[in-house]
């Protein structure tokens, strides 16, 4: 509950409840949950067999999950073995996208700093916590969406019916699942489904260990460019944008920096690459390997493909589809999402805000979380919305006990918040770092 950067979780009856209007799908709750009670829903893997053409879109970080003796060609062969008919790397569209980003910044000088739209958790964070910066979000679709549009076009030109084409994305994080199911700035995603990276990693590694994949397998496809391979790592995007750019990873680092922008403490920045996870997509909650080792492997692959003075930029497959993609690259308007909507009526909301301020005078302000809300302010807002009670605060309970609240009543309140089982003696409870 305390790990959520937007205070979207509450505890009642011993269970965590989510405020969906606050959730940004960053996965921090999944990352810290000590009992593994939180799961990330995905599409059923068997769905791929509903399609004649089963295309899997893999991010470059997938290839960084495996031991060093497993090369990308072996992983691709394993993906084909488990049922896919074609493997496409998401970053295929990066070389087409880079000049579009630089052109966008030149044309939108008044919106600086331009905030990258690559990380969907960051887009949602800006929507709910920094709504006045929504206009700074770059309205260009990320590589995943561009590559998917390119694939749909390529297959339709071959005369293959849409109903026979299934395009599935292997995601390293929960935010990209939400971006596919409920895209921001678009009506509907062109992807058919999303499969978690840890599931794909386990299946493909099993194939490789069964030795159904030849260890001498060679990939004769054109290699991605150096900057395409490292695009999903920290500074992979900012390093290719002209002007003064900054790359910041980690959701709390991002929040701290956006607060500085809010307070006019930072100026002169042209472009911000903001990523919710440490080491960007390499640190996604569904990644199987250590994020630092993944980043190292990808950088080695990048240098191996383009050593020394070899040109670092490969030609993009999407160049020949430029005319088609011009109409596909733009995102629709991104709207703010109110995180603290006390009431639809502005006058009523103002009165409720006054009540919140009065409540804060009595609450201790130490944000202990014992009340089931992540902070005293969150509890005060819950109270004025009719979703909480001041008696939940243990410090105020102590004061009330001196007047009318007896200890048994206080105990019953705590049971309502944390559930009966939390008050039973159990020496087998999970203890972190035991």
């Amino acid at each position: 509950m305390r790990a959520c950067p937007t205070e979207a979780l509450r505890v009642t009856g011993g269970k965590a409840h989510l405020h969906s209007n606050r959730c940004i799908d960053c996965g921090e709750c999944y990352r810290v949950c000590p009992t593994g009670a939180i799961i990330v829903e995905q599409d059923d893997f068997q769905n791929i067999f509903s399609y004649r053409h089963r295309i899997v879109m893999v991010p470059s970080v997938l290839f960084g999950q495996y031991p060093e003796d497993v090369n990308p060609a072996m992983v691709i062969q394993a993906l084909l073995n488990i049922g896919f008919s074609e493997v496409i790397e998401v970053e295929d569209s990066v070389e087409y996208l880079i000049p579009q980003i630089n052109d966008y910044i030149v044309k939108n000088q008044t919106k600086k700093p331009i905030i990258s739209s690559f990380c969907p958790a960051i887009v949602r964070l800006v929507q709910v916590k920094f709504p006045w910066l929504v206009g700074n979000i770059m309205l260009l679709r990320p590589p995943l969406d561009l590559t998917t549009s390119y694939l749909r076009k390529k297959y339709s030109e071959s005369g293959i019916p849409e109903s026979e084409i299934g395009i599935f994305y292997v995601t390293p994080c929960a935010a990209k699942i939400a971006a596919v199911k409920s895209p921001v700035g678009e009506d509907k995603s062109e992807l058919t489904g999303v499969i978690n990276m840890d599931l794909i990693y386990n299946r493909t590694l099993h194939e490789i260990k069964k030795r159904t994949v030849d260890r001498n397998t060679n990939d004769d496809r054109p290699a991605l460019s150096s900057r395409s391979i490292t695009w999903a790592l920290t500074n992979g995007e900012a390093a290719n944008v002209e002007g003064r750019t900054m790359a910041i990873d980690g959701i709390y680092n991002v929040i701290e920096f956006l607060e500085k922008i809010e307070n006019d403490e930072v100026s002169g920045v042209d472009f911000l690459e903001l990523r919710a996870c440490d080491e960007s997509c390499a640190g996604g909650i569904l990644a199987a390997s250590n994020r630092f080792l993944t980043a190292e492997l990808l950088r080695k692959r990048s240098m191996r493909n383009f050593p020394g003075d070899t040109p670092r930029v490969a030609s993009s497959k999407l160049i020949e589809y430029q005319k088609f993609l011009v109409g596909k690259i733009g995102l629709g308007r991104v709207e703010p999402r109110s995180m603290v909507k006390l009431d639809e009526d502005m006058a009523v909301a103002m009165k409720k805000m006054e009540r919140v301020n009065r409540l804060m005078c009595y609450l201790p302000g130490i944000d202990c979380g014992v009340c089931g809300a992540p902070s005293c302010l969150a509890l005060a807002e819950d109270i004025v919305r009719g979703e909480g009670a001041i008696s939940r605060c243990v410090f105020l309970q102590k004061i009330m006990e001196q007047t009318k609240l007896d200890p048994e009543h206080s105990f019953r309140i705590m049971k309502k918040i944390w559930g009966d089982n939390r008050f039973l003696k159990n020496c087998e409870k999970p203890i972190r770092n035991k």
Side-chain angles (χ1 to χ4, degrees):
M1 178 182 70
R2 300 285 301 279
C4 178
T6 56
E7 299 186 335
L9 289 170
R10 302 288 186 277
V11 176
T12 307
K15 294 182 179 178
H17 299 271
L18 181 70
H19 285 205
S20 57
N21 62 325
R22 287 174 174 259
C23 181
I24 60 172
D25 305 295
C26 63
E28 287 299 311
C29 53
Y30 177 92
R31 198 189 301 277
V32 302
C33 181
T35 61
I38 299 173
I39 61 170
V40 178
E41 290 189 359
Q42 61 182 321
D43 290 303
D44 186 347
F45 180 79
Q46 294 302 317
N47 287 349
I48 71 170
F49 297 106
S50 302
Y51 300 89
R52 182 183 168 203
H53 298 275
R54 303 177 293 276
I55 306 155
V56 59
M57 303 268 290
V58 295
S60 58
V61 290
L62 175 67
F63 299 115
Q65 306 297 304
Y66 302 86
E68 283 197 66
D69 60 344
V70 176
N71 62 48
M74 293 166 64
V75 177
I76 290 170
Q77 184 59 57
L79 286 165
L80 297 175
N81 286 1
I82 64 174
F84 294 104
S85 58
E86 186 174 4
V87 181
I88 299 291
E89 289 174 271
V90 170
E91 289 81 8
D92 260 351
S93 56
V94 163
E95 289 299 335
Y96 170 77
L97 183 59
I98 289 173
Q100 307 296 332
I101 294 176
N102 284 308
D103 187 51
Y104 182 92
I105 294 172
V106 170
K107 292 177 178 175
N108 292 275
Q109 295 288 321
T110 59
K111 295 181 179 178
K112 289 182 178 179
I114 302 293
I115 298 173
S116 167
S117 57
F118 178 86
C119 179
I122 295 299
V123 172
R124 284 173 163 77
L125 175 72
V126 173
Q127 282 182 292
V128 303
K129 203 173 176 71
F130 301 94
W132 45 91
L133 289 175
V134 161
N136 295 55
I137 294 173
M138 181 175 69
L139 298 180
L140 295 181
R141 299 168 77 207
L144 173 62
D145 295 342
L146 281 178
T147 307
T148 306
S149 292
Y150 150 75
L151 274 175
R152 290 276 178 200
K153 179 68 174 174
K154 190 181 85 166
Y155 271 83
S156 69
E157 286 181 347
S158 304
I160 298 171
E162 280 282 318
S163 59
E164 294 184 1
I165 305 168
I167 305 179
F168 296 84
Y169 172 56
V170 177
T171 180
C173 71
K176 291 189 176 175
I177 297 176
V180 172
K181 303 298 180 185
S182 304
V184 175
E186 292 184 278
D187 295 329
K188 185 182 176 184
S189 171
E190 293 183 272
L191 284 161
T192 308
V194 187
I195 302 171
N196 293 350
M197 182 177 286
D198 51 358
L199 183 145
I200 292 294
Y201 169 78
N202 289 330
R203 289 200 173 207
T204 50
L205 190 63
H206 182 64
E207 284 292 314
I208 293 167
K209 285 185 175 178
K210 279 197 311 183
R211 299 189 180 280
T212 57
V213 175
D214 183 358
R215 287 193 168 268
N216 296 316
T217 299
N218 291 315
D219 185 7
D220 55 0
R221 304 182 313 167
L224 287 181
S225 70
S226 172
R227 50 188 187 178
S228 296
I229 293 170
T230 56
W231 184 260
L233 302 179
T234 300
N235 207 38
E237 191 176 1
N240 296 293
V241 176
E242 295 168 6
R244 185 186 175 197
T245 65
M246 297 189 72
I248 300 163
D249 60 9
I251 191 74
Y252 290 101
N253 294 333
V254 169
I255 291 173
E256 180 185 351
F257 194 82
L258 290 178
E259 286 173 346
K260 285 184 176 295
I261 291 179
E262 176 187 358
N263 296 329
D264 289 330
E265 296 176 30
V266 180
S267 61
V269 178
D270 297 303
F271 180 81
L272 286 175
E273 173 201 298
L274 306 177
R275 308 280 177 87
C277 298
D278 290 336
E279 285 294 333
S280 297
C281 294
I285 59 170
L286 300 174
S289 177
N290 177 277
R291 59 189 182 280
F292 302 111
L293 293 175
T294 299
E296 182 196 34
L297 274 174
L298 290 180
R299 292 193 173 103
K300 280 183 178 177
R301 180 189 169 198
S302 164
M303 295 307 296
R304 193 162 52 242
N305 285 359
F306 300 92
D309 296 329
T310 306
R312 293 167 62 84
V313 180
S315 60
S316 170
K317 300 173 190 172
L318 277 70
I319 296 298
E320 57 187 289
Y321 286 87
Q322 279 196 79
K323 288 184 180 177
F324 165 73
L325 291 172
V326 164
K328 289 281 186 179
I329 196 168
L331 273 179
R333 183 181 173 86
V334 179
E335 300 288 350
R337 280 168 46 189
S338 176
M339 186 171 72
V340 186
K341 186 181 285 186
L342 296 177
D343 200 283
E344 295 293 340
D345 186 313
M346 182 61 75
V348 176
M350 293 297 290
K351 287 182 180 177
K352 287 186 175 179
M353 183 57 74
E354 289 177 10
R355 193 179 165 210
V356 167
N357 292 334
R358 285 202 304 275
L359 285 168
M360 287 301 293
C361 296
Y362 295 98
L363 294 171
I366 60 172
D367 299 338
C368 66
V370 177
C371 62
S375 67
C376 293
L377 179 59
L379 175 61
E381 290 168 355
D382 288 349
I383 292 170
V384 299
R385 279 195 294 258
E387 299 169 358
I390 199 166
S391 57
R392 286 175 164 238
C393 175
V394 292
F395 294 92
L396 292 182
Q397 280 182 35
K398 195 70 178 175
I399 296 172
M400 289 185 221
E401 283 173 8
Q402 296 169 3
T403 55
K404 60 180 182 179
L405 187 69
D406 61 79
E408 279 300 315
H409 190 182
S410 175
F411 193 67
R412 288 196 295 274
I413 293 170
M414 286 296 102
K415 274 190 172 182
K416 284 183 180 178
I417 299 170
W418 296 102
D420 292 342
N421 293 339
R422 298 294 293 180
F423 294 89
L424 297 176
K425 183 178 180 181
N426 178 8
C427 298
E428 301 302 320
K429 286 176 183 172
I431 301 174
R432 298 185 70 186
N433 304 319
K434 187 175 181 179

